[in-house]
């Protein structure tokens, strides 16, 4: 898979995330590798326990579910993507 197709998949995942207000996690789970890691700026602070580090797709699904339970997605449209440097 080339960087261009990876970039297209990433853009599509962000677009779906924005259009569904975070209700679509499938595209994110599809693009995550088996050895993935997610760290959050919340860093497991009190009240943000769902921000515990994610080390698997199951952890990522837990994170997305808890994020949607705790927060309302209003808008998210990234404007800049970096692909291959």
């Amino acid at each position: 898979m080339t960087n261009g197709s990876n970039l297209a998949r990433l853009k599509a995942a962000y677009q779906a995330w924005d259009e569904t207000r975070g209700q679509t996690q499938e595209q994110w789970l599809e693009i995550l590798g088996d050895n993935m890691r997610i760290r959050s700026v919340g860093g497991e602070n009190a009240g943000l326990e769902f921000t515990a580090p994610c080390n698997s797709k199951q952890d990522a699904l837990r994170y997305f579910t808890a994020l949607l339970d705790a927060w309302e997605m209003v808008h998210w449209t990234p404007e800049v993507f970096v692909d291959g440097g």
Side-chain angles (χ1 to χ4, degrees):
M1 184 174 294
T2 67
N3 283 344
S5 60
N6 285 337
L7 181 60
R9 291 174 67 193
L10 183 62
K11 286 182 175 182
Y14 271 111
Q15 182 176 354
W17 185 257
D18 182 45
E19 290 173 354
T20 66
R21 301 209 190 287
Q23 297 299 314
T24 304
Q25 297 96 30
E26 292 81 20
Q27 284 180 295
W28 289 107
L29 296 176
E30 288 174 10
I31 65 175
L32 292 174
D34 292 332
N35 295 325
M36 54 73 66
R37 294 207 193 307
I38 297 175
R39 301 288 185 260
S40 175
V41 295
E44 301 177 78
N45 288 324
L48 297 174
E49 289 80 11
F50 70 90
T51 64
C54 298
N55 298 309
S56 68
K57 290 183 180 185
Q58 190 62 35
D59 284 350
L61 182 58
R62 172 201 45 82
Y63 171 80
F64 291 136
T65 300
L67 180 65
L68 293 170
D69 287 344
W71 298 85
E72 177 186 3
M73 164 73 157
V74 176
H75 175 74
W76 178 258
T77 305
E79 296 177 4
V80 177
F81 293 85
V82 177
D83 181 24

